[in-house]
Amino acid sequence: CKFGHLPPGCTDGNFWIRDALLWSEELARTVCHPVALSILEEYLGTPEIHWCHQPIVSTLFPFSGEDREVTAMGSAWHCDYPYDPRLPAADWASDAVLGVQYNVCIDDFRCDNGATQFLPRSHTQAAWPTTQRLSQSSVEVQQMCAPAGAAVLFDARMWHRACPELNTSGEDRMAVLNVVAPTSVHKFKKRRSRWVESQFEGSSCAQGLDNREMDEVRRLCVRPP
């Protein structure tokens, strides 16, 4: 994907672009890549899948070095939708996989630019990462390092966090975020954009896609729940 970086001076935290599906053909082609879809459908156990919100372009700012609490979106340890104890869709007891995160690195993900932290195999805990559970884990935290253009797929139950305090590179770092689930799981109302859905057919992005790509984007990102 081709996205411009912010000028120097922005530090700490992150921000999201939510409407890129309307103007980025590269993003649209990435989210409906046939290899990724094949893996997602196999892991989720069904071809009936959808994106729970439109693809989000996330930018992580470089850390200023100031001694203050980290409050960026996703910086606390968490699982991804629909596995959230505050949401009715969470079903920790189910054997079925209800969510997969499908992220794409726009930039290299390195230790020095805040590559996402993971607790390997934590999805097998089938539980939210509370302070007590984290303190009892014997598994060492790792950062997910990958080159620009790499796709990263992981179970939504995996314990992970954004770590803006580790972006000491002096540059921002970008990625595309996608939450994928069986169509039986409702879309994420808090992050879903009905406006993007309503504008897609007439967008400049839609005009540049071939028939397969259009069908897949409609199926995955635009159609009603």
Side-chain angles (χ1 to χ4, degrees), residues 22 30 43-44 47 54 64 77 83 85 94 99 103 115 127 133 136 158 171 175 178 188-189 208-210 223:
L22 299 181
T30 297
Y43 191 79
L44 289 166
Q54 282 69 43
S64 66
W77 284 100
Y83 296 103
S94 174
N103 297 346
R133 290 182 181 124
Q136 293 173 344
M158 185 79 71
E171 300 176 344
N178 303 284
F188 194 178
K189 291 182 179 180
L209 302 180
D210 64 29
R223 73 179 179 186

Side-chain angles (χ1 to χ4, degrees), residues 27 38 59 76 78 90 94 99 102 107 113-114 126 133 144 147 159 186 191 216-217 221 225:
L27 179 139
S38 176
T59 298
H78 63 282
S94 174
Y102 166 30
D107 297 311
N113 71 354
R133 290 182 181 124
M144 185 285 297
W159 299 355
H186 291 298
R191 295 181 185 166
E216 293 289 27
V217 172
C221 305

Side-chain angles (χ1 to χ4, degrees), residues 38-59:
S38 176
I39 295 171
L40 288 164
E41 290 172 359
E42 180 175 356
Y43 191 79
L44 289 166
T46 176
E48 297 300 317
I49 65 174
H50 65 176
W51 269 227
C52 291
H53 56 68
Q54 282 69 43
I56 293 171
V57 179
S58 174
T59 298

